[in-house]
Coordinates of all heavy atoms in Angstrom, one line a residue:
M1 N 100.9 120.3 126.5 CA 100.5 121.5 125.8 C 99.4 121.1 124.8 O 99.7 120.2 123.9 CB 101.8 122.0 125.0 CG 101.4 123.2 124.2 SD 102.9 124.1 123.6 CE 103.3 123.2 122.2
P2 N 98.3 121.7 124.9 CA 97.2 121.3 124.0 C 97.4 121.9 122.6 O 97.9 123.0 122.5 CB 95.9 121.9 124.7 CG 96.5 123.0 125.5 CD 97.8 122.6 125.9
W3 N 96.9 121.2 121.6 CA 96.9 121.8 120.2 C 95.6 122.6 120.0 O 94.5 122.1 120.3 CB 96.9 120.7 119.2 CG 98.2 119.9 119.2 CD1 99.4 120.2 119.8 CD2 98.5 118.7 118.5 NE1 100.3 119.3 119.5 CE2 99.8 118.3 118.7 CE3 97.7 117.9 117.7 CZ2 100.4 117.2 118.2 CZ3 98.3 116.8 117.1 CH2 99.6 116.4 117.4
T4 N 95.7 123.8 119.6 CA 94.5 124.6 119.3 C 94.2 124.8 117.8 O 93.1 125.0 117.5 CB 94.6 126.0 120.0 OG1 95.8 126.6 119.4 CG2 94.8 125.9 121.5
S5 N 95.3 124.6 117.0 CA 95.1 124.7 115.6 C 96.1 123.7 114.9 O 97.2 123.5 115.4 CB 95.5 126.1 115.1 OG 94.6 127.0 115.6
L6 N 95.6 123.1 113.9 CA 96.4 122.2 113.0 C 96.3 122.6 111.6 O 95.2 123.2 111.2 CB 95.9 120.7 113.1 CG 95.9 120.1 114.5 CD1 95.2 118.8 114.5 CD2 97.3 119.9 115.0
I7 N 97.3 122.4 110.8 CA 97.3 122.8 109.4 C 97.4 121.5 108.6 O 98.2 120.7 108.9 CB 98.5 123.7 109.1 CG1 98.3 125.0 109.9 CG2 98.6 124.0 107.6 CD1 99.5 126.0 109.8
V8 N 96.6 121.5 107.5 CA 96.7 120.4 106.5 C 96.8 121.0 105.1 O 96.1 121.9 104.8 CB 95.5 119.4 106.7 CG1 94.2 120.1 106.3 CG2 95.7 118.2 105.8
Y9 N 97.7 120.4 104.4 CA 97.9 120.8 103.0 C 96.9 120.1 102.1 O 96.8 118.8 102.2 CB 99.3 120.6 102.5 CG 99.5 121.2 101.1 CD1 99.7 122.5 100.9 CD2 99.5 120.3 100.0 CE1 99.8 123.1 99.6 CE2 99.7 120.9 98.7 CZ 99.8 122.2 98.5 OH 100.0 122.8 97.3
V10 N 96.2 120.8 101.3 CA 95.1 120.2 100.5 C 95.5 120.3 99.0 O 95.8 121.4 98.5 CB 93.7 120.8 100.7 CG1 92.7 120.1 99.9 CG2 93.4 120.9 102.2
D11 N 95.6 119.1 98.3 CA 95.9 119.1 96.9 C 95.1 118.0 96.2 O 94.2 117.5 96.8 CB 97.4 118.9 96.7 CG 97.9 117.6 97.3 OD1 97.1 116.7 97.6 OD2 99.2 117.5 97.5
D12 N 95.4 117.7 95.0 CA 94.6 116.7 94.3 C 95.4 115.4 94.1 O 95.1 114.6 93.2 CB 94.1 117.3 92.9 CG 95.3 117.8 92.0 OD1 96.5 117.6 92.4 OD2 95.0 118.2 90.9
E13 N 96.4 115.2 94.9 CA 97.1 113.9 94.9 C 96.2 112.8 95.4 O 95.3 113.0 96.2 CB 98.4 114.0 95.7 CG 99.4 115.0 95.1 CD 99.9 114.7 93.7 OE1 100.1 113.5 93.5 OE2 100.0 115.6 92.9
A14 N 96.6 111.6 95.1 CA 95.8 110.4 95.5 C 95.7 110.2 97.0 O 94.7 109.7 97.5 CB 96.4 109.1 94.9
D15 N 96.7 110.6 97.8 CA 96.7 110.4 99.2 C 96.0 111.6 100.0 O 95.8 111.5 101.2 CB 98.1 110.3 99.8 CG 98.9 111.6 99.7 OD1 98.6 112.5 98.8 OD2 99.9 111.8 100.4
N16 N 95.4 112.5 99.2 CA 94.8 113.7 99.9 C 93.6 113.3 100.7 O 93.4 113.8 101.8 CB 94.5 114.8 98.9 CG 94.0 116.0 99.6 OD1 92.9 116.4 99.5 ND2 94.9 116.6 100.4
P17 N 92.6 112.4 100.2 CA 91.5 112.1 101.1 C 91.9 111.5 102.4 O 91.3 111.8 103.4 CB 90.7 111.1 100.2 CG 91.1 111.5 98.8 CD 92.5 111.9 98.9
A18 N 92.9 110.6 102.4 CA 93.3 110.0 103.7 C 94.0 111.1 104.6 O 93.8 111.0 105.8 CB 94.3 108.9 103.4
R19 N 94.7 112.0 104.0 CA 95.4 113.1 104.7 C 94.3 113.9 105.4 O 94.4 114.3 106.6 CB 96.2 113.9 103.8 CG 97.1 114.9 104.5 CD 98.0 115.8 103.6 NE 98.4 115.0 102.4 CZ 98.4 115.5 101.2 NH1 97.9 116.7 101.0 NH2 98.8 114.8 100.2
L20 N 93.2 114.3 104.6 CA 92.2 115.1 105.2 C 91.4 114.4 106.3 O 91.1 114.9 107.4 CB 91.2 115.5 104.1 CG 91.6 116.7 103.2 CD1 90.6 116.8 102.1 CD2 91.6 117.9 104.1
T21 N 91.2 113.1 106.1 CA 90.5 112.3 107.1 C 91.3 112.2 108.4 O 90.8 112.4 109.5 CB 90.2 110.9 106.6 OG1 89.4 111.0 105.4 CG2 89.6 110.0 107.6
E22 N 92.6 112.0 108.3 CA 93.5 111.9 109.5 C 93.6 113.3 110.2 O 93.6 113.4 111.4 CB 94.9 111.4 109.1 CG 95.8 111.1 110.2 CD 95.3 110.0 111.1 OE1 94.6 109.1 110.6 OE2 95.6 110.0 112.3
A23 N 93.7 114.3 109.4 CA 93.8 115.7 110.0 C 92.5 116.0 110.7 O 92.6 116.6 111.8 CB 94.1 116.7 108.9
C24 N 91.4 115.7 110.1 CA 90.1 115.9 110.8 C 90.0 115.1 112.1 O 89.5 115.6 113.1 CB 88.9 115.6 109.9 SG 88.6 116.8 108.6
A25 N 90.5 113.9 112.1 CA 90.4 113.0 113.3 C 91.3 113.6 114.4 O 91.0 113.6 115.6 CB 90.9 111.6 112.9
L26 N 92.5 114.1 114.0 CA 93.4 114.7 115.0 C 92.8 116.0 115.6 O 92.9 116.2 116.8 CB 94.8 115.0 114.3 CG 95.7 113.8 114.2 CD1 96.9 114.3 113.3 CD2 96.2 113.4 115.5
A27 N 92.2 116.8 114.7 CA 91.6 118.0 115.2 C 90.5 117.7 116.1 O 90.4 118.4 117.2 CB 91.2 118.9 114.0
S28 N 89.7 116.7 115.8 CA 88.5 116.4 116.6 C 89.0 115.8 118.0 O 88.5 116.2 119.0 CB 87.7 115.3 115.9 OG 86.6 115.0 116.7
A29 N 90.0 115.0 118.0 CA 90.5 114.4 119.2 C 91.1 115.4 120.1 O 91.1 115.2 121.4 CB 91.6 113.3 118.8
H30 N 91.7 116.5 119.6 CA 92.4 117.5 120.4 C 91.5 118.8 120.6 O 92.0 119.7 121.2 CB 93.7 117.8 119.8 CG 94.7 116.7 119.9 ND1 95.5 116.4 121.0 CD2 95.0 115.7 119.0 CE1 96.2 115.4 120.8 NE2 96.0 114.9 119.6
G31 N 90.3 118.8 120.0 CA 89.5 119.9 120.1 C 90.1 121.1 119.4 O 89.9 122.3 119.9
A32 N 90.8 120.9 118.4 CA 91.5 121.9 117.6 C 90.8 122.3 116.4 O 89.9 121.6 115.9 CB 92.9 121.4 117.2
R33 N 91.1 123.5 115.9 CA 90.6 124.0 114.7 C 91.5 123.6 113.6 O 92.8 123.5 113.8 CB 90.6 125.6 114.7 CG 90.1 126.2 113.5 CD 90.1 127.7 113.6 NE 91.5 128.1 113.8 CZ 91.9 129.3 113.9 NH1 91.1 130.3 113.8 NH2 93.2 129.6 114.1
L34 N 91.0 123.2 112.4 CA 91.8 122.7 111.3 C 91.9 123.8 110.3 O 90.9 124.4 109.8 CB 91.2 121.5 110.7 CG 92.0 120.7 109.7 CD1 93.4 120.3 110.2 CD2 91.3 119.5 109.1
I35 N 93.1 124.1 109.9 CA 93.4 125.2 108.8 C 93.8 124.4 107.6 O 94.8 123.7 107.6 CB 94.4 126.2 109.3 CG1 94.0 126.9 110.6 CG2 94.7 127.2 108.2 CD1 95.1 127.7 111.2
G36 N 93.0 124.6 106.5 CA 93.4 124.0 105.2 C 94.1 125.0 104.4 O 93.7 126.2 104.3
V37 N 95.2 124.6 103.8 CA 96.0 125.5 103.0 C 96.3 124.8 101.6 O 96.5 123.6 101.5 CB 97.4 125.9 103.6 CG1 97.1 126.7 104.9 CG2 98.3 124.7 103.9
S38 N 96.4 125.6 100.6 CA 96.8 125.2 99.3 C 97.3 126.3 98.5 O 97.0 127.5 98.8 CB 95.7 124.5 98.6 OG 96.1 123.8 97.4
G39 N 98.1 126.1 97.5 CA 98.6 127.1 96.6 C 99.0 126.6 95.3 O 99.3 125.4 95.1
C40 N 99.0 127.5 94.3 CA 99.4 127.2 93.0 C 100.4 128.2 92.5 O 100.1 129.4 92.6 CB 98.2 127.2 92.0 SG 97.0 125.9 92.3
A41 N 101.5 127.8 92.1 CA 102.6 128.7 91.6 C 102.4 128.9 90.1 O 102.1 127.9 89.4 CB 103.9 128.2 91.9
P42 N 102.5 130.1 89.6 CA 102.5 130.2 88.1 C 103.6 129.5 87.5 O 104.8 129.5 88.0 CB 102.6 131.7 87.9 CG 103.2 132.3 89.2 CD 102.8 131.3 90.3
E43 N 103.4 128.9 86.3 CA 104.4 128.2 85.6 C 105.1 129.3 84.7 O 104.4 130.2 84.1 CB 103.8 127.1 84.8 CG 103.2 126.0 85.6 CD 102.4 125.0 84.7 OE1 102.7 124.9 83.5 OE2 101.5 124.4 85.2
T44 N 106.4 129.2 84.5 CA 107.0 130.0 83.6 C 106.8 129.6 82.2 O 107.1 128.5 81.8 CB 108.6 130.0 83.8 OG1 108.8 130.4 85.2 CG2 109.3 131.0 82.9
P45 N 106.1 130.4 81.4 CA 105.7 130.0 80.0 C 107.0 129.9 79.2 O 107.9 130.7 79.3 CB 104.8 131.0 79.5 CG 104.6 132.0 80.6 CD 105.5 131.7 81.7
V46 N 107.0 128.9 78.3 CA 108.1 128.8 77.3 C 107.7 129.6 76.1 O 106.6 129.3 75.5 CB 108.3 127.3 76.9 CG1 109.4 127.2 75.9 CG2 108.7 126.5 78.2
A47 N 108.4 130.6 75.8 CA 108.0 131.5 74.7 C 109.2 131.6 73.7 O 110.3 131.8 74.1 CB 107.6 132.9 75.2
D48 N 108.8 131.6 72.4 CA 109.8 131.9 71.4 C 110.0 133.4 71.2 O 109.0 134.1 71.0 CB 109.3 131.3 70.1 CG 110.2 131.5 68.9 OD1 111.3 132.0 69.1 OD2 109.8 131.1 67.8
A49 N 111.1 133.8 71.4 CA 111.4 135.3 71.4 C 111.2 135.9 70.0 O 111.1 137.1 69.8 CB 112.8 135.6 71.8
Y50 N 111.0 135.0 69.0 CA 110.8 135.5 67.6 C 109.4 135.3 67.1 O 109.2 135.2 65.9 CB 111.8 134.8 66.7 CG 113.2 135.1 67.0 CD1 114.0 134.1 67.7 CD2 113.8 136.3 66.7 CE1 115.3 134.4 68.0 CE2 115.1 136.5 67.1 CZ 115.9 135.6 67.7 OH 117.2 135.8 68.1
G51 N 108.4 135.4 68.0 CA 107.1 135.3 67.4 C 106.0 134.7 68.4 O 104.9 135.2 68.4
A52 N 106.3 133.7 69.1 CA 105.3 133.0 69.9 C 105.0 133.9 71.2 O 104.0 133.6 71.8 CB 105.7 131.6 70.3
G53 N 105.8 134.9 71.5 CA 105.6 135.7 72.6 C 104.3 136.4 72.6 O 103.8 136.9 73.6
I54 N 103.7 136.5 71.4 CA 102.5 137.2 71.2 C 101.3 136.5 71.9 O 100.3 137.1 72.3 CB 102.1 137.4 69.7 CG1 101.1 138.5 69.5 CG2 101.7 136.1 69.1 CD1 101.0 139.0 68.1
L55 N 101.5 135.2 72.1 CA 100.4 134.4 72.8 C 100.6 134.3 74.3 O 99.9 133.7 75.0 CB 100.4 133.0 72.3 CG 100.1 132.9 70.8 CD1 100.2 131.4 70.3 CD2 98.7 133.4 70.5
L56 N 101.7 135.0 74.8 CA 102.0 134.9 76.2 C 100.9 135.3 77.1 O 100.6 134.6 78.2 CB 103.3 135.7 76.5 CG 104.0 135.5 77.8 CD1 104.3 134.1 78.1 CD2 105.2 136.4 77.9
G57 N 100.2 136.3 76.8 CA 99.1 136.8 77.6 C 98.0 135.7 77.7 O 97.5 135.5 78.8
E58 N 97.6 135.1 76.6 CA 96.6 134.1 76.6 C 97.0 132.8 77.4 O 96.3 132.3 78.1 CB 96.2 133.6 75.2 CG 95.4 134.7 74.4 CD 96.3 135.6 73.6 OE1 97.5 135.4 73.6 OE2 95.7 136.5 73.0
V59 N 98.3 132.5 77.3 CA 98.8 131.4 78.1 C 98.8 131.6 79.6 O 98.3 130.8 80.3 CB 100.3 131.0 77.6 CG1 100.9 130.0 78.6 CG2 100.3 130.5 76.2
M60 N 99.2 132.8 80.0 CA 99.2 133.2 81.4 C 97.7 133.3 81.9 O 97.5 132.8 83.0 CB 99.9 134.5 81.6 CG 101.4 134.3 81.4 SD 102.4 135.7 81.7 CE 102.4 135.7 83.5
A61 N 96.8 133.8 81.1 CA 95.4 133.8 81.5 C 94.8 132.4 81.7 O 94.1 132.2 82.6 CB 94.6 134.6 80.5
A62 N 95.2 131.5 80.8 CA 94.7 130.1 80.9 C 95.3 129.5 82.2 O 94.6 128.7 82.9 CB 95.1 129.4 79.7
Q63 N 96.6 129.7 82.5 CA 97.2 129.2 83.7 C 96.5 129.7 84.9 O 96.2 129.0 85.9 CB 98.7 129.5 83.7 CG 99.5 128.7 82.8 CD 100.9 129.1 82.8 OE1 101.3 130.0 83.4 NE2 101.8 128.3 82.1
Q64 N 96.2 131.0 84.9 CA 95.5 131.6 86.1 C 94.1 131.0 86.3 O 93.7 130.7 87.4 CB 95.4 133.1 85.9 CG 94.7 133.8 87.0 CD 95.5 133.8 88.3 OE1 96.7 133.7 88.3 NE2 94.8 133.9 89.4
A65 N 93.4 130.8 85.2 CA 92.1 130.2 85.3 C 92.2 128.8 85.8 O 91.4 128.3 86.7 CB 91.4 130.2 83.9
R66 N 93.1 128.0 85.3 CA 93.3 126.6 85.8 C 93.7 126.6 87.3 O 93.2 125.8 88.1 CB 94.4 125.9 85.0 CG 94.5 124.4 85.3 CD 95.6 123.7 84.5 NE 96.9 124.3 84.7 CZ 97.7 124.8 83.8 NH1 97.4 124.8 82.5 NH2 98.9 125.2 84.1
N67 N 94.6 127.5 87.7 CA 95.0 127.6 89.1 C 93.8 127.9 90.0 O 93.6 127.4 91.1 CB 96.1 128.6 89.3 CG 97.4 128.1 88.8 OD1 97.6 126.9 88.5 ND2 98.3 129.0 88.7
E68 N 92.9 128.9 89.6 CA 91.8 129.2 90.3 C 90.8 128.1 90.5 O 90.2 127.8 91.6 CB 91.1 130.5 89.7 CG 91.8 131.7 89.9 CD 91.2 132.9 89.2 OE1 90.1 132.8 88.6 OE2 91.9 134.0 89.2
T69 N 90.6 127.3 89.4 CA 89.8 126.1 89.5 C 90.3 125.1 90.4 O 89.6 124.5 91.2 CB 89.6 125.5 88.0 OG1 89.0 126.5 87.2 CG2 88.8 124.3 88.0
T70 N 91.6 124.9 90.4 CA 92.3 123.9 91.2 C 92.1 124.3 92.7 O 91.8 123.5 93.6 CB 93.8 123.8 90.9 OG1 93.9 123.4 89.5 CG2 94.5 122.9 91.8
L71 N 92.3 125.6 93.0 CA 92.2 126.0 94.4 C 90.7 125.9 94.9 O 90.5 125.6 96.0 CB 92.7 127.5 94.5 CG 94.2 127.7 94.5 CD1 94.5 129.1 94.5 CD2 94.8 127.0 95.7
K72 N 89.8 126.3 94.0 CA 88.4 126.2 94.4 C 88.0 124.7 94.7 O 87.3 124.4 95.6 CB 87.5 126.7 93.3 CG 86.0 126.9 93.7 CD 85.2 127.6 92.6 CE 85.7 129.0 92.5 NZ 85.0 130.0 93.3
S73 N 88.5 123.8 93.9 CA 88.2 122.4 94.1 C 88.8 121.9 95.4 O 88.2 121.2 96.2 CB 88.8 121.6 92.9 OG 88.7 120.2 93.2
A74 N 90.1 122.4 95.7 CA 90.7 122.0 97.0 C 89.9 122.5 98.2 O 89.7 121.8 99.2 CB 92.2 122.5 97.0
E75 N 89.5 123.8 98.0 CA 88.7 124.4 99.1 C 87.4 123.6 99.4 O 87.0 123.3 100.5 CB 88.3 125.8 98.8 CG 87.5 126.5 99.9 CD 87.2 127.9 99.6 OE1 87.6 128.4 98.5 OE2 86.6 128.6 100.5
Q76 N 86.7 123.2 98.3 CA 85.5 122.4 98.4 C 85.7 121.1 99.1 O 84.9 120.6 99.9 CB 84.8 122.2 97.0 CG 84.2 123.4 96.5 CD 83.8 123.3 95.0 OE1 84.1 122.3 94.4 NE2 83.0 124.2 94.5
R77 N 86.8 120.4 98.7 CA 87.2 119.1 99.4 C 87.4 119.3 100.9 O 87.0 118.6 101.7 CB 88.4 118.5 98.7 CG 88.1 117.8 97.4 CD 89.2 116.9 96.9 NE 90.5 117.6 96.9 CZ 90.9 118.4 95.9 NH1 90.2 118.7 94.9 NH2 92.1 118.9 95.9
F78 N 88.2 120.4 101.2 CA 88.5 120.7 102.6 C 87.2 121.0 103.4 O 87.0 120.4 104.4 CB 89.4 121.9 102.7 CG 89.6 122.4 104.1 CD1 90.4 121.7 105.0 CD2 89.0 123.5 104.6 CE1 90.6 122.1 106.3 CE2 89.2 124.0 105.9 CZ 90.0 123.2 106.7
R79 N 86.3 121.9 102.8 CA 85.1 122.2 103.5 C 84.2 121.0 103.7 O 83.5 120.9 104.7 CB 84.4 123.4 102.8 CG 85.2 124.6 102.9 CD 84.4 125.9 102.7 NE 85.2 127.1 102.6 CZ 85.6 127.7 103.7 NH1 85.3 127.3 104.9 NH2 86.4 128.8 103.6
G80 N 84.1 120.1 102.7 CA 83.4 118.9 102.8 C 83.9 118.0 103.9 O 83.1 117.4 104.7
A81 N 85.2 117.9 104.0 CA 85.8 117.0 105.0 C 85.5 117.5 106.4 O 85.2 116.8 107.3 CB 87.3 116.9 104.8
I82 N 85.7 118.8 106.7 CA 85.5 119.4 108.0 C 84.0 119.3 108.4 O 83.7 119.1 109.6 CB 86.1 120.8 108.2 CG1 85.5 121.8 107.3 CG2 87.6 120.8 108.1 CD1 85.9 123.3 107.6
E83 N 83.2 119.5 107.4 CA 81.7 119.5 107.7 C 81.3 118.0 108.1 O 80.6 117.8 109.1 CB 80.9 119.9 106.5 CG 79.4 120.0 106.8 CD 78.7 120.5 105.6 OE1 79.2 121.4 104.9 OE2 77.6 120.0 105.4
A84 N 81.8 117.1 107.4 CA 81.5 115.7 107.6 C 82.1 115.2 109.0 O 81.5 114.4 109.7 CB 82.1 114.8 106.6
A85 N 83.2 115.8 109.4 CA 83.8 115.4 110.7 C 83.3 116.3 111.8 O 83.6 116.0 113.0 CB 85.4 115.5 110.6
G86 N 82.6 117.3 111.5 CA 82.1 118.2 112.6 C 83.3 119.0 113.3 O 83.2 119.2 114.5
V87 N 84.2 119.4 112.5 CA 85.4 120.1 113.0 C 85.3 121.5 112.5 O 84.9 121.8 111.4 CB 86.7 119.4 112.5 CG1 87.9 120.2 112.8 CG2 86.8 118.0 113.0
E88 N 85.7 122.5 113.4 CA 85.8 123.9 113.0 C 87.0 124.0 112.1 O 88.1 123.5 112.4 CB 86.0 124.7 114.3 CG 86.0 126.2 114.0 CD 86.3 127.0 115.2 OE1 86.0 126.6 116.3 OE2 86.7 128.2 115.0
G89 N 86.9 124.8 111.1 CA 88.0 125.0 110.1 C 88.0 126.3 109.5 O 87.1 127.2 109.6
E90 N 89.2 126.6 108.8 CA 89.4 127.8 108.2 C 90.2 127.5 106.9 O 91.1 126.6 106.9 CB 90.3 128.7 109.1 CG 90.8 130.0 108.6 CD 91.6 130.7 109.6 OE1 91.5 130.5 110.8 OE2 92.5 131.5 109.2
W91 N 89.9 128.2 105.8 CA 90.6 127.9 104.5 C 91.6 129.1 104.2 O 91.2 130.3 104.4 CB 89.6 127.8 103.4 CG 90.2 127.7 102.1 CD1 90.3 128.6 101.1 CD2 91.0 126.5 101.6 NE1 91.0 128.1 100.0 CE2 91.4 126.9 100.3 CE3 91.3 125.3 102.1 CZ2 92.2 126.0 99.5 CZ3 92.0 124.4 101.3 CH2 92.5 124.8 100.1
R92 N 92.7 128.7 103.7 CA 93.7 129.7 103.2 C 94.3 129.2 101.9 O 95.0 128.2 101.9 CB 94.8 130.0 104.2 CG 94.3 130.6 105.5 CD 95.4 130.8 106.5 NE 94.8 131.2 107.7 CZ 95.5 131.4 108.8 NH1 96.8 131.3 108.8 NH2 95.0 131.8 110.0
G93 N 94.0 129.8 100.8 CA 94.5 129.3 99.5 C 95.0 130.5 98.7 O 94.4 131.6 98.7
D94 N 96.0 130.3 97.9 CA 96.6 131.4 97.1 C 97.2 130.8 95.9 O 97.9 129.8 95.9 CB 97.6 132.2 97.9 CG 98.0 133.4 97.1 OD1 97.2 133.9 96.3 OD2 99.1 133.9 97.4

Protein backbone atom coordinates (compact mmCIF):
# COMPACT_ATOMS: atom_id res chain seq x y z
CA MET A 1 0.00 0.00 0.00
CA PRO A 2 1.64 3.27 -1.08
CA TRP A 3 1.79 6.28 1.19
CA THR A 4 0.22 9.34 -0.40
CA SER A 5 0.39 11.70 2.59
CA LEU A 6 2.52 11.88 5.70
CA ILE A 7 2.05 14.12 8.73
CA VAL A 8 4.84 15.68 10.78
CA TYR A 9 4.42 17.70 13.97
CA VAL A 10 6.41 20.93 13.89
CA ASP A 11 7.49 22.62 17.09
CA ASP A 12 10.49 24.47 18.49
CA GLU A 13 12.06 21.54 20.34
CA ALA A 14 15.71 20.63 19.74
CA ASP A 15 14.85 17.47 17.78
CA ASN A 16 12.54 19.25 15.31
CA PRO A 17 15.12 19.88 12.53
CA ALA A 18 15.99 16.17 12.46
CA ARG A 19 12.28 15.25 12.53
CA LEU A 20 11.58 17.56 9.57
CA THR A 21 14.56 16.20 7.63
CA GLU A 22 13.46 12.60 8.19
CA ALA A 23 9.84 13.36 7.32
CA CYS A 24 10.92 15.08 4.08
CA ALA A 25 13.14 12.10 3.21
CA LEU A 26 10.28 9.66 3.79
CA ALA A 27 7.86 11.76 1.75
CA SER A 28 10.37 12.01 -1.08
CA ALA A 29 11.13 8.28 -1.04
CA HIS A 30 7.43 7.40 -1.22
CA GLY A 31 6.31 10.19 -3.54
CA ALA A 32 4.05 11.44 -0.78
CA ARG A 33 2.82 14.86 0.18
CA LEU A 34 3.96 16.08 3.60
CA ILE A 35 1.46 17.75 5.91
CA GLY A 36 2.96 19.92 8.62
CA VAL A 37 0.86 20.43 11.75
CA SER A 38 1.32 22.46 14.89
CA GLY A 39 -0.84 23.97 17.58
CA CYS A 40 -0.73 26.16 20.63
CA ALA A 41 -3.16 25.75 23.49
CA PRO A 42 -4.09 28.81 25.50
CA GLU A 43 -2.70 28.76 29.02
CA THR A 44 -5.10 29.25 31.87
CA PRO A 45 -4.08 32.54 33.42
CA VAL A 46 -3.59 32.65 37.14
CA ALA A 47 -5.69 35.55 38.38
CA ASP A 48 -6.29 36.95 41.82
CA ALA A 49 -10.05 37.16 42.27
CA TYR A 50 -9.55 40.29 44.43
CA GLY A 51 -7.92 42.61 41.95
CA ALA A 52 -5.50 41.10 39.46
CA GLY A 53 -8.36 39.93 37.27
CA ILE A 54 -8.39 43.39 35.75
CA LEU A 55 -5.24 42.46 33.78
CA LEU A 56 -6.69 39.21 32.48
CA GLY A 57 -7.50 40.67 29.05
CA GLU A 58 -3.94 41.94 28.56
CA VAL A 59 -2.48 38.60 29.67
CA MET A 60 -4.67 36.66 27.26
CA ALA A 61 -3.87 39.08 24.39
CA ALA A 62 -0.14 38.66 25.06
CA GLN A 63 -0.52 34.85 25.07
CA GLN A 64 -2.44 34.98 21.78
CA ALA A 65 0.27 37.13 20.19
CA ARG A 66 2.99 34.76 21.43
CA ASN A 67 1.08 31.73 20.10
CA GLU A 68 0.63 33.37 16.69
CA THR A 69 4.37 34.13 16.53
CA THR A 70 5.20 30.55 17.51
CA LEU A 71 2.90 29.11 14.83
CA LYS A 72 4.22 31.47 12.15
CA SER A 73 7.79 30.42 13.01
CA ALA A 74 6.85 26.73 12.84
CA GLU A 75 5.19 27.25 9.47
CA GLN A 76 8.29 29.02 8.12
CA ARG A 77 10.53 26.15 9.27
CA PHE A 78 8.19 23.62 7.65
CA ARG A 79 7.96 25.50 4.36
CA GLY A 80 11.74 25.92 4.29
CA ALA A 81 12.26 22.20 4.85
CA ILE A 82 9.86 21.05 2.13
CA GLU A 83 11.25 23.59 -0.32
CA ALA A 84 14.82 22.44 0.34
CA ALA A 85 13.79 18.79 -0.07
CA GLY A 86 11.66 19.41 -3.15
CA VAL A 87 8.63 17.80 -1.51
CA GLU A 88 5.00 18.87 -1.99
CA GLY A 89 3.53 20.03 1.29
CA GLU A 90 0.59 21.52 3.10
CA TRP A 91 0.49 23.45 6.39
CA ARG A 92 -2.13 23.18 9.12
CA GLY A 93 -1.65 25.19 12.28
CA ASP A 94 -3.99 26.38 14.99
